[in-house]
Amino acid sequence: MNFDDLARPCIRAERKKRLLIAMDGPAGVGKSTVGRLVAKALGYRFINTGEMYRALTWRALEERLDLGDAPALSRLARRIRWDFRTMADGVTIRAFVDGRSVARRIQDERVGKNSSTVASVPGVRRCLRRLQRRLGRDGGVVMEGRDIATNVFPDADLKIYLDASAAERARRRTRQLRAQGKGADFDSIRAAILSRDRQDKGRKANPLRRAKGAVVIDSTRLSLREVVDRILKRIAGRPL
Ligand code: DC
């Protein structure tokens, strides 16, 4: 028996200890930026589950499905061939739909607007939860969304609820758009954020909630670095 054979059980045991970090929070709070940095610091992978709901929405629009037809949306979610690939940064996992990249397509405003309708269908949520559980089951993952700690991984090793006031989220978004040279009106951005909060918190199927045992971080007055450090501190000392 060579060294590799001897070491293999240890490597496997070590892999099992890699943590699953579940992060939820409202739209525009910076979950992706924070989650990616945390994953990078730990040598983990990062998954934004909102992209999966957006990818399905894009596909439904492309097929001209009636978005009021819940059974058709659930069937589409199951019919799609979902692939998940790690991007060149070595951290971010992205969904591919029937072999096609959706990264650019899901940024479309029409997709964003309709994704809350698609995400409110219980059959769709069950299908995507199955995929998400498969992606996270071996740990070594930071997964963010609206129901990750409450519904997808209620037993996650670390649960984070990232929050910030609607006004602060609108300010950040306004700044971001202006920096890109795009017009941005603070009041309408804030109104859109409040309406998304209502949809995310008010829907019947897996609404956005603080999970039991979640660490709540209000980032309204914190820098990005401070938020990331607070999360990493929670992990310090645990086996990775
Ligand atoms: O985070 P986002 O705006 O890209 O998410 C797109 C849509 O998916 C949005 O309507 C919220 C919904 N979503 C959800 O219901 N559950 C998740 N785990 C992630 C996103």
Side-chain angles (χ1 to χ4, degrees):
M1 194 181 268
N2 65 26
F3 174 78
D4 278 354
D5 288 328
L6 282 170
R8 200 157 286 133
C10 307
I11 292 168
R12 229 185 340 236
E14 218 156 82
R15 270 211 195 112
K16 265 202 183 139
K17 272 193 254 154
R18 289 160 63 84
L19 307 177
L20 188 286
I21 302 173
M23 184 161 57
D24 295 313
V29 76
K31 298 185 296 289
S32 280
T33 311
V34 168
R36 194 173 287 113
L37 287 170
V38 169
K40 193 166 182 214
L42 300 171
Y44 284 8
R45 300 287 157 84
F46 167 75
I47 304 162
N48 168 344
T49 58
E51 290 186 357
M52 295 165 71
Y53 289 95
R54 284 172 181 256
L56 180 61
T57 306
W58 162 70
R59 197 76 170 81
L61 290 170
E62 198 195 40
E63 291 204 359
R64 297 179 188 282
L65 275 193
D66 169 8
L67 297 190
D69 187 346
L73 287 170
S74 304
R75 278 196 302 276
L76 178 66
R78 292 194 299 269
R79 172 156 54 84
I80 280 175
R81 181 162 60 81
W82 296 91
D83 294 311
F84 297 93
R85 302 185 201 157
T86 306
M87 298 294 98
D89 65 358
V91 176
T92 311
I93 292 185
R94 286 239 148 90
F96 283 68
V97 166
D98 294 323
R100 295 158 79 187
S101 162
V102 293
R104 204 122 36 93
R105 296 174 170 105
I106 61 176
Q107 299 310 327
D108 193 273
E109 209 186 311
R110 226 175 122 227
V111 171
K113 275 207 180 116
N114 286 295
S115 63
S116 57
T117 307
V118 172
S120 67
V121 175
V124 163
R125 304 200 66 86
R126 276 194 299 275
C127 176
L128 296 198
R129 181 177 65 179
R130 216 171 17 247
L131 296 167
Q132 289 154 7
R133 285 187 172 162
R134 218 177 289 156
L135 286 165
R137 88 186 145 199
D138 292 329
V141 164
V142 178
M143 190 176 288
E144 67 100 326
R146 305 292 196 286
D147 65 336
I148 308 306
T150 51
N151 176 46
V152 181
F153 286 108
D155 297 324
D157 299 293
L158 179 63
K159 302 184 215 177
I160 305 284
Y161 187 92
L162 190 58
D163 210 351
S165 72
E168 175 59 19
R169 286 182 278 145
R171 258 192 300 277
R172 291 177 192 167
R173 184 75 185 133
T174 308
R175 226 180 290 136
Q176 194 182 32
L177 287 171
R178 289 188 182 151
Q180 293 166 5
K182 295 178 188 160
D185 172 56
F186 174 82
D187 287 334
S188 50
I189 289 175
R190 185 168 169 277
I193 281 180
L194 286 171
S195 139
R196 292 189 67 185
D197 283 0
R198 266 194 303 277
Q199 281 167 344
D200 287 337
K201 292 177 181 173
R203 72 163 172 245
K204 273 210 192 101
N206 318 127
L208 172 64
R209 294 269 189 277
R210 297 172 178 192
K212 228 164 94 196
V215 176
V216 178
I217 300 178
D218 184 341
S219 75
T220 305
R221 286 186 188 80
L222 297 177
S223 69
L224 178 58
R225 194 66 257 168
E226 286 170 321
V227 174
V228 171
D229 284 348
R230 280 194 188 193
I231 296 174
L232 292 176
K233 252 190 216 142
R234 292 273 168 179
I235 298 160
R238 296 201 202 182
L240 295 175

